[in-house]
Amino acid sequence: MTDHNVTLHTEGNDASFPLIEGSVGPDVIDIRKLYAETGKFTYDPGFTSTASCQSAITFIDGDEGILLHRGYPIDQLAEQSTFMEVAYLLLHGDLPNRAELDDFTTTITRHTMVHEQLATFFRGFRRDAHPMAIMCGVVGALSSFYHDSTDITDPQQRLIASHRLIAKMPTIAAMAHKYSIGQPFLYPDNSLSYTGNFLRMTFGVPAEPYVVNPIIEKAMRRIFILHADHEQNASTSTVRLASSSGANPFACIAAGIACLWGPAHGGANEAALNMLREIGDVKNIPAYIARAKDKDDPFRLMGFGHRVYKNFDPRAKVMKATADEVLKELGKSDPVLDVAKELEHIALNDSYFIDKKLYPNVDFYSGVILNAIGFPTEMFTALFALARTVGWVAQWNEMIADPEQKIGRPRQLYVGATRRDYVPVDQR
Ligand code: SDX
C-alpha cells in the first residue's frame, strides 16, 4: 500500500481509491470499492489494464523484454538450471539446496505412474484424436482417481495433488502420442531424469532399450523451463478462475489445458510451424507479410506479437539459439528455420510490425526444434501444457493461500434489450 490515493471525479461525486505498489512493476489502483462508491464498473475487455491478483511467482517487463521467476532471469535458469529445480523454485519460492532438490525429484519421480485403469480412457478416443483433446479428457479424469488429494483446504492434499500433476503430465502426454501411432504405452523408468523419462516414454518401444540422447535431453529441458510459467496469461487465469469456485485441482488444470489449446495462446506453436511450412520458401515471405498487414485478411503471423512483450520475448531469443544448436548437433538442417529467420528479419524491418511492436514470441521457433527432435506437430501444444503445469500448479497454490482471493465473478456493460412484455406467438 502507498500513502497515495487516486481520485475519480464523476457527476458530483469524488471517490478516492488507494494506490498499491509492488516490489517492481506498475502500481495498481485498488478499485474493489468502485461500484459501491460510484455505482459504476470498469470496462476492460481482454483485461489489458487489469491486475487480477497479487503474485510473487513471475515478473514480466514487456517493454524491456524481462522475465523473472521468483527474481531469477529466465535466460540464466534456461542455461544453468533443471526443470525439477525450476519446478521447486516456482512452487516453493527459493532455489532448493541439494537435499531439498533430491527429495523433491524423488517425490516427483515416484508419482510418474498413472492408475492402470486410466489407460482404458485412451481406448475411447479415435487414433487421430488431437493430443490436446486427449489431455483435456484424461487430466480431468484424474479427479476420479485421486479422491485423497482433492480437498483444497488441506495443504497436505494440495501438495500431493501438485506433485501428482507435475509427475503425471509427461506420462499422459507420452501416452497420447503412443496412442496416436498405435504403439504400446511405456511405463516410466525411475532411473531417468524427468525429461529423459519423458523422451523414453515418447520415443522408446518395449522391443529394445532406449538410450536418451543428451543433446535432445538438454534441449527439451530448456524448452520445458522456457514454458514453465508466464504471469497471468489466459490459461493461468483460467486455472485461477476455475479454482476460485473451489473446483478440484485436476479439473482446474484440465480447464487450463483447454484454454492453452487456442491458436492465439499455446496452440500458436503448432500453428507457427504449419505457417512456416506453408510459406515454404523465403521468396513467398512478402506475400504473407502483406496478408498479415491486411485488415481485411484474418491471417496473422503465428508466433508473432504478444499482449505484454513490446520488445523481444526473452524466451524467443533462447529458443532461436537452441534451434541453431540442436540442428547443428543433430547434423540436421531444416529450410523452415531459414524461412523463420528471414521472416523475422523482414518483419522487424517493416513499419507495420515496428509501429505495433510485434516481435517473435516463445512459439515462433519452438516448432523447429520440436520437429527436429521428432515430435509430430500435433504434440507441440501438449508439450507446452506439460511444462506449463508447473506454473499452473504454483499459481493455483498461491491463489488458494491468498486471503484476498474469492470466487471470480466479473460484471458487464449491458447493451441488450431493456424490459419488454411477452407477446404470444400468434400476435407477433
Ligand atoms: C502465448 O499471455 C502470455 O503470456 C501468453 C504466452 C505464455 O507464455 O503464456 O506468452 C504464450 O500465447 C504467446 C502468443 C502466441 N500467439 C500467437 O503467436 C498468435 C499470433 N499473435 C496474436 O494473435 C497476438 O499478437 C496475441 C494474441 C498474441 C496478442 O494479441 P493482443 O495483445 O490482443 O493484441 P491485438 O490482437 O490487439 O493486436 C494489436 C495489433 C492489432 O492491429 P490493430 O487492430 O491495432 O490495427 O497488432 C496486430 C493486430 O491486428 N497484430 C498482428 C499480430 N499480432 C497482433 N498482426 C499480424 N500478425 C500478428 N501476429
Side-chain angles (χ1 to χ4, degrees), residues 163-392:
H163 292 158
R164 280 174 165 155
L165 280 158
I166 293 169
K168 297 180 193 307
M169 288 301 271
T171 309
I172 292 168
M175 291 170 80
H177 172 62
K178 284 301 189 190
Y179 184 71
S180 73
I181 58 175
Q183 287 188 359
F185 301 142
L186 281 189
Y187 289 113
D189 176 345
N190 289 354
S191 68
L192 299 174
S193 72
Y194 183 89
T195 307
N197 188 32
F198 170 65
L199 290 169
R200 177 183 166 276
M201 290 189 288
T202 302
F203 296 116
V205 289
E208 58 188 49
Y210 177 84
V211 178
V212 177
N213 178 326
I215 298 165
I216 294 176
E217 184 180 25
K218 178 184 165 199
M220 277 316 296
R221 179 173 63 232
R222 193 180 291 174
I223 287 173
F224 285 164
I225 290 172
L226 292 173
H227 286 83
D229 190 57
H230 210 241
E231 201 213 66
Q232 303 311 320
N233 58 84
S235 53
T236 297
S237 299
T238 300
V239 170
R240 281 179 170 260
L241 192 59
S243 173
S244 73
S245 73
N248 75 72
F250 306 100
C252 294
I253 298 303
I257 293 170
C259 177
L260 185 75
W261 193 0
H265 190 13
N269 56 15
E270 175 179 353
L273 188 67
N274 289 336
M275 174 192 75
L276 292 170
R277 283 176 174 155
E278 185 185 319
I279 294 173
D281 187 292
V282 294
K283 70 178 187 311
N284 300 326
I285 290 174
Y288 282 84
I289 293 273
R291 285 188 59 197
K293 293 158 65 173
D294 178 356
K295 280 282 155 239
D296 298 325
D297 188 333
F299 172 79
R300 287 192 166 184
L301 286 187
M302 301 316 283
F304 249 79
H306 199 277
R307 169 62 57 76
V308 177
Y309 290 122
K310 303 309 170 188
N311 196 324
F312 268 94
D313 180 333
R315 302 167 297 173
K317 285 184 184 174
V318 179
M319 206 65 90
K320 182 178 179 182
T322 303
D324 281 325
E325 275 175 43
V326 170
L327 287 174
K328 181 165 173 260
E329 288 168 342
L330 291 178
K332 292 186 176 181
S333 65
D334 185 346
V336 162
L337 181 56
D338 301 330
V339 172
K341 287 179 176 177
E342 182 60 15
L343 176 57
E344 175 188 344
H345 174 72
I346 294 174
L348 295 188
N349 287 281
D350 182 296
S351 58
Y352 174 91
F353 295 89
I354 295 167
D355 296 346
K356 295 179 188 299
K357 300 182 178 179
L358 302 175
Y359 290 84
N361 60 50
V362 68
D363 295 312
F364 189 62
Y365 286 103
S366 58
V368 173
I369 306 167
L370 297 174
N371 176 60
I373 291 172
F375 291 103
T377 313
E378 299 73 31
M379 275 295 290
F380 291 179
T381 311
L383 300 177
F384 194 151
L386 185 171
R388 184 54 56 90
T389 294
V390 164
W392 288 332

